[in-house]
Structures are given as structure tokens and as C-alpha cells.
């Protein structure tokens, strides 16, 4: 039986749909982003439903349909033909279009979390529309798309319904195969997939080009056109010849071939190498003579556009060198929306002034962009802004400027783990931290907040582990 869940999965990734149906359950891992998405979908549906009595008053299942409720939820729809089809619309909205059940009909409602209405939204509505014909005597002519940043939009379903038959035929064909479809070209889309670990293992075993840091979907396709199909092929390529071939295909980055070949060779060699032209001298001169350093990490809820925690680990310089991260003092600054940005900025100012001129070490652009943005919004003086700019040191930028790492990513988790750092909460990640934050906001349980603080403190410690490694390479 084909259903709306398999259709959504297949439109995102054909391999995911096959694994959802046939894959071993033990290899499927829940991702916290899924819980965040479900909560956001419910919030958006609830906002849409308020104009029609609210979700709590919506009719349920077939009884809701038969009693002509303004809204109907949890209605399981099935077709009687082949292939067997099943779907459960997010919500049904009563409309004044005559149908087999009276002088009204129903239109399916779907939620979009992104900016655009996609093919998946249109075909999902089309499937529900066709399945509604079992009860309405005809397909629903329109559907509704509910999003964050604009009013709900009606979508005509004639064209998507014509496309649906061919799509379902391809879906059925893929699901009938004995082995999963190939890995998708752009595996950045796999970030929150429940089969990510399984596909990561398959990609590593096959030496897939997507395992090379810096190769996304488009570059993978370009390299395959040049008969470079795996990491070994790329590592064996001549950089100058490869660059000429890439130029002929329209590649604009003149140094790309050398970068990719070096990255592939480094990953196969399992040892970091210095990047050609990366310069000489100390990579972190700001630490020479500094009385101490502040390790800085922000936790954010991107959907809410909220930086809810600024975490600092204070490492003073001792008689010989900086203190070890386990002995450093951790200072969390919670930034609650109801208290306003002004209060958060004042608390940050007080902390930063306690440690004047100490370098602010962070990993990635987020901390620099957000802290400077907050300072500008709070009308910090030009001198204060310049002081912040001088103090902020991006370790990701410094690392990448001089070192090629034997890893398929340069994120803090990958780099610090390779060096040997271990987080106290092995499954902790940004999305899980956001989930803990939302749970704390809803229930105010100390346990949820403590997990966030521990995770952020570990991120600060991991940042110092990277800084210490970079300093060690300077003296090696």
C-alpha cells in the first residue's frame, strides 16, 4: 500500500522512502528536529484553525465529515483501486462547493515550514484530493497551504493531480526493488534524516564523492561527468588537468581542483596537512601575552529567531600557561525574550568588562555576527564595537586557513572529536538543545535547563581543545 508518508519521503529522497518501508528498524534513528517540526506544524495549523473554531473543536474522523463540521482532522482516507492508496490529511476545511455529502465539500490543508510552496506540497494535496473523492463523489478542486510568513494560500489541484499518477507509478516501482536507490547527490539534505547514519556508512564504504569536504551535489555531478566517481579517483587526479576540465564545464573557482584533490588525499591519508600558501607565524597571536581567554558559544532557536544563551568559559593564564578547560569557570547568560535585548546586552557588557582585552575565542561566524549585531541594535559606541571586533577570534576561519583536516566536515563536533574531546551528553547537538529549550520554556524543569548549560559549557571546552591543538602545531 502506498501512502502520503512514503510519497513525501520519496519526493525528498528516493532512498529514504525505500528504507522507510524495507530498512532495518535498528538502523533508524530519531532526530530531535522532527519533534520541533511537528510542534511547529501544530502551531501553524492551530493559528489557521482559530478562524473556524480552533483545532480543539474540529470534528474527528468520518463522524466529523458526516456532521459537516467546519474543520475535520484525523480522517483516514483509502482508495479502492490499485495500487492501494492511503492518506491522513493534516486538516480538512469545509467549503461551499456541492458534493455527494450535501451543499458543501472539503479542501485539504497542508503546512509548509520553508519559504516556498514545493512540488511535495502540491502532490501531497493532490493525493488527499483524490482520496477525498471516496466520500465527496469528486476530488477536491483546491487545497490550502499554511505557512509562517504569509496568509494561507489556496492552490488549484488540477495540474498536480494530473502529475500524480506518474509519480505514484515511479514510487511503486522504486519500492518494489530488492535494494535501495542510490545516495542522493546533495547529501546536505540528509542532515536531519532518520537514516543518516546508515547512509553515511554506505557512503564511506563506497568512497562516495559526497564524503569529501567541499563537495556538494553540483560539484559531485561535475566530477562524475569527468569520470571521477569516488574519493580514490579524485585523490589520483592531476590538479592542473582537472582544473582545465572543470573550467571547460563552466567552473568559476580557479583554485578548486587543487583544493579538492588535496582534501581527498588528506582524508585517505588520515593525517592533517598544512595548506599550501597558508602563511607562517603563530596562528593565534592574540593569545601571546593575554591575561586570559574567554571561550564563547551561543545557543539559538533559528525558527524563533532567538539567541537564548550566551555561554562563556573563563580561562585565566597561570604561571606557565592557560588553565585547563575543566578548571575554568563557566558563565551562562540567559537571554529571555520577555526580558528584552537591552537587559541581555547589559549583562554581557558587565561580564566582558570584568575581563578587559581578553580574546573572545569562538568557532564559526555565528558568535561574531550575533554579538556585533546585538551591540549595534543597543547603540554601542564605535569604540566599543571596534573593541569587540578586535577581541573576537574565529577558530574555524583560522583552522581552515592553514590546515587541511582528514575529515569530511570542519564543524566543531567533527574537529574536536577527532582531537579527542568527548561531550558529556554523547547525543547532544544543536537541534536537541533547541528541543530542551522549548521543553524548559513550557515546563520550567531544572533538568532541561541544566542539560542545555552542560551542553553549552562542553561546546566552550571543545572550542579550547581546538585552540590548544592549533597552538601545539605552531610549536611542533
Amino acid at each position: 500500500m502506498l501512502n502520503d508518508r512514503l510519497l513525501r519521503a520519496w519526493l525528498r529522497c528516493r532512498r529514504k522512502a525505500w528504507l522507510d518501508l524495507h530498512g532495518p528498524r535498528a538502523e533508524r534513528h530519531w532526530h530531535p528536529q522532527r519533534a520541533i517540526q511537528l510542534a511547529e506544524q501544530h502551531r501553524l495549523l492551530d493559528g489557521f484553525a482559530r478562524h473556524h473554531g480552533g483545532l480543539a473543536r474540529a470534528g474527528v474522523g468520518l463522524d466529523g465529515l458526516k456532521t459537516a463540521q467546519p474543520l475535520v482532522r484525523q480522517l483516514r482516507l483509502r482508495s479502492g483501486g490499485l495500487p492501494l492508496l492511503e492518506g491522513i490529511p493534516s486538516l480538512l476545511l469545509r467549503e461551499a462547493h456541492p458534493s455527494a455529502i450535501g451543499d458543501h465539500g472539503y479542501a485539504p490543508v497542508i503546512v509548509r515550514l520553508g519559504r516556498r510552496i514545493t512540488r511535495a506540497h502540491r502532490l501531497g494535496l493532490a493525493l488527499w484530493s483524490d482520496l477525498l473523492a471516496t466520500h465527496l463523489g469528486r476530488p477536491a478542486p483546491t487545497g490550502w497551504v499554511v505557512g509562517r510568513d504569509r496568509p494561507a494560500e489556496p492552490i488549484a489541484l488540477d495540474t498536480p493531480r494530473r502529475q500524480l499518477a506518474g509519480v505514484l507509478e515511479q514510487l511503486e516501482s522504486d519500492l518494489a526493488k530488492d535494494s535501495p536507490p542510490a545516495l542522493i547527490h546533495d547529501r546536505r539534505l540528509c542532515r536531519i534524516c532518520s537514516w543518516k547514519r546508515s547512509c553515511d556508512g554506505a557512503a564511506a564504504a563506497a568512497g562516495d564523492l559526497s564524503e569529501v569536504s567541499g563537495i556538494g551535489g553540483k560539484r559531485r555531478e561535475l566530477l562524475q561527468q569527468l569520470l571521477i566517481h569516488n574519493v580514490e579517483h579524485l585523490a589520483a587526479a592531476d590538479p592542473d588537468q582537472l582544473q582545465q576540465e572543470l573550467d571547460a564545464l563552466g567552473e568559476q573557482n580557479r583554485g578548486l581542483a587543487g583544493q579538492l584533490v588535496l582534501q581527498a588525499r588528506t582524508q585517505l591519508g588520515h593525517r592533517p596537512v598544512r595548506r599550501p600558501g597558508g602563511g607562517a607565524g603563530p596562528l593565534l597571536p592574540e593569545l601571546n601575552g593575554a591575561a586570559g581567554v574567554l571561550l564563547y558559544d551561543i545557543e539559538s532557536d533559528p525558527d524563533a529567531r532567538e539567541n537564548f544563551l550566551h555561554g562563556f568559559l573563563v580561562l585565566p593564564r597561570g604561571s606557565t600557561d592557560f588553565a585547563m578547560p575543566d578548571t575554568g569557570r563557566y558563565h551562562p547568560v540567559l537571554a529571555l525574550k520577555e526580558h528584552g535585548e537591552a537587559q541581555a546586552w547589559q549583562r554581557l557588557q558587565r561580564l566582558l568588562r570584568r575581563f578587559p582585552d581578553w580574546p573572545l575565542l569562538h568557532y564559526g561566524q555565528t558568535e561574531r555576527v550575533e554579538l556585533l549585531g546585538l551591540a549595534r541594535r543597543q547603540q554601542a559606541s564605535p569604540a566599543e564595537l571596534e573593541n569587540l571586533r578586535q577581541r573576537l577570534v574565529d577558530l574555524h576561519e583560522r583552522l581552515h586557513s592553514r590546515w587541511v583536516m582528514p575529515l569530511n566536515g570542519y564543524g566543531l563536533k567533527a574537529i574536536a572529536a577527532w582531537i579527542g574531546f568527548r561531550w558529556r551528553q554523547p547525543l547532544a547537538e544543536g537541534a536537541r538543545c533547541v528541543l530542551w529549550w522549548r521543553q524548559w520554556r513550557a515546563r520550567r524543569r531544572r533538568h532541561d535547563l541544566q542539560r542545555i548549560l552542560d551542553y553549552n559549557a562542553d561546546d566552550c571546552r571543545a572550542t579550547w581543545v581546538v585552540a590548544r591543538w592549533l597552538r601545539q602545531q605552531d610549536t611542533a
Side-chain angles (χ1 to χ4, degrees):
M1 177 183 291
L2 305 183
N3 58 46
D4 46 6
R5 295 189 305 278
L6 289 171
L7 175 62
R8 284 194 299 271
W10 186 85
L11 289 168
R12 182 176 180 83
C13 169
R14 295 186 175 194
R15 184 182 181 91
K16 173 174 167 50
W18 191 95
L19 290 170
D20 281 350
L21 187 63
H22 303 293
R25 301 296 99 181
E27 294 183 13
R28 186 172 188 169
H29 298 276
W30 173 82
H31 194 282
Q33 187 66 29
R34 180 59 180 155
I36 295 171
Q37 288 177 341
L38 288 173
E40 183 67 1
Q41 288 175 7
H42 187 275
R43 185 185 72 81
L44 292 171
L45 278 178
D46 188 52
F48 173 80
R50 285 196 201 105
H51 303 290
H52 307 277
L55 278 182
R57 297 185 179 181
V60 177
L62 193 57
D63 287 341
L65 203 71
K66 290 180 177 178
T67 55
Q69 298 299 315
L71 297 168
V72 177
R73 57 190 176 90
Q74 297 179 19
L75 174 62
R76 186 181 297 274
L77 301 170
R78 286 183 174 176
S79 71
L82 292 175
L84 295 176
L85 301 175
E86 181 180 88
I88 303 177
S90 307
L91 193 66
L92 295 175
L93 173 68
R94 189 181 67 194
E95 293 189 328
H97 299 298
S99 68
I101 59 175
D103 59 357
H104 63 278
Y106 282 90
V109 180
I110 200 167
V111 172
R112 65 168 178 85
L113 297 178
R115 296 180 180 179
R116 299 182 297 108
I117 297 174
T118 66
R119 183 168 178 248
H121 294 129
R122 298 178 188 277
L123 290 173
L125 287 170
L127 175 61
W128 291 339
S129 168
D130 280 355
L131 292 175
L132 275 169
T134 304
H135 300 289
L136 303 184
R138 57 164 179 78
T142 59
W144 289 87
V145 178
V146 178
R148 293 191 185 106
D149 52 359
R150 64 182 69 178
E153 300 178 56
I155 300 294
L157 297 179
D158 288 344
T159 300
R161 286 182 52 244
R162 287 195 296 270
Q163 298 169 347
L164 183 63
V167 170
L168 291 176
E169 184 178 342
Q170 295 175 56
L171 169 59
E172 186 178 26
S173 173
D174 274 353
L175 296 180
K177 294 176 181 176
D178 295 330
S179 58
L183 295 162
I184 61 173
H185 286 182
D186 190 353
R187 292 190 52 239
R188 287 174 296 184
L189 299 174
C190 305
R191 185 175 57 85
I192 65 171
C193 178
S194 55
W195 297 102
K196 182 180 185 302
R197 296 184 197 176
S198 174
C199 291
D200 282 349
D208 193 88
L209 287 170
S210 62
E211 284 293 288
V212 178
S213 178
I215 295 183
K218 290 183 179 179
R219 286 179 178 173
R220 183 173 182 260
E221 290 179 1
L222 283 177
L223 292 170
Q224 288 177 336
Q225 287 183 49
L226 300 174
L227 303 182
I228 295 176
H229 296 288
N230 55 44
V231 180
E232 289 80 6
H233 290 167
L234 180 58
D238 176 79
D240 294 332
Q241 181 181 345
L242 178 58
Q243 187 66 57
Q244 293 176 12
E245 294 171 338
L246 288 172
D247 291 345
L249 292 175
E251 174 57 51
Q252 301 297 312
N253 187 341
R254 293 291 300 171
L256 177 63
Q259 296 170 21
L260 295 182
V261 170
L262 179 58
Q263 183 66 52
R265 291 173 180 174
T266 304
Q267 289 181 215
L268 288 180
H270 305 293
R271 294 180 63 184
V273 299
R274 288 185 179 271
R275 193 177 296 277
L283 201 52
L284 296 172
E286 295 86 352
L287 273 60
N288 296 336
V293 294
L294 296 175
L295 288 310
Y296 178 36
D297 187 76
I298 288 178
E299 302 301 338
S300 304
D301 184 343
D303 292 335
R305 298 175 182 175
E306 175 185 21
N307 297 320
F308 57 83
L309 174 61
H310 299 257
F312 296 86
L313 187 67
V314 179
L315 291 188
R317 184 186 289 274
S319 57
T320 57
D321 202 353
F322 295 99
M324 295 299 291
D326 291 342
T327 62
R329 288 173 293 156
Y330 173 64
H331 291 264
V333 178
L334 282 178
L336 301 179
K337 272 190 172 181
E338 56 266 31
H339 294 167
E341 278 194 345
Q343 184 180 110
W345 174 239
Q346 290 169 6
R347 295 176 65 197
L348 288 169
Q349 280 181 309
R350 285 197 296 270
L351 189 147
L352 293 173
R353 286 168 182 167
R354 286 174 58 192
F355 308 99
D357 301 323
W358 285 27
L360 275 166
L361 272 58
H362 59 97
Y363 197 92
Q365 296 182 356
T366 298
E367 284 71 22
R368 171 179 287 273
V369 170
E370 296 299 331
L371 184 60
L372 290 175
L374 174 59
R376 291 190 193 95
R377 290 193 297 274
Q378 295 303 312
Q379 300 181 338
S381 69
E384 194 167 17
L385 285 170
E386 184 58 28
N387 178 262
L388 278 178
R389 290 191 190 97
Q390 295 297 324
R391 294 177 67 178
L392 287 161
V393 179
D394 183 355
L395 295 183
H396 175 271
E397 180 182 23
R398 301 288 177 92
L399 172 75
H400 201 272
S401 70
R402 188 166 297 182
W403 287 96
V404 181
M405 303 300 289
L407 303 166
N408 62 2
Y410 282 73
L412 177 61
K413 297 291 187 300
I415 298 295
W418 178 83
I419 295 171
F421 184 79
R422 297 293 179 266
W423 276 256
R424 283 174 284 179
Q425 303 165 94
L427 297 178
E429 57 182 300
R432 197 175 296 268
C433 189
V434 172
L435 184 58
W436 291 337
W437 174 250
R438 294 189 177 190
Q439 290 171 344
W440 180 79
R441 295 284 277 170
R443 307 170 198 168
R444 297 295 170 124
R445 296 184 305 189
R446 175 66 187 178
H447 174 65
D448 291 325
L449 183 57
Q450 190 59 54
R451 289 192 296 188
I452 295 168
L453 299 180
D454 289 346
Y455 170 68
N456 182 260
D458 281 352
D459 276 356
C460 292
R461 294 186 180 99
T463 301
W464 179 246
V465 165
V466 177
R468 187 175 59 194
W469 185 86
L470 290 174
R471 296 178 74 217
Q472 290 168 348
Q473 308 319 303
D474 283 343
T475 60

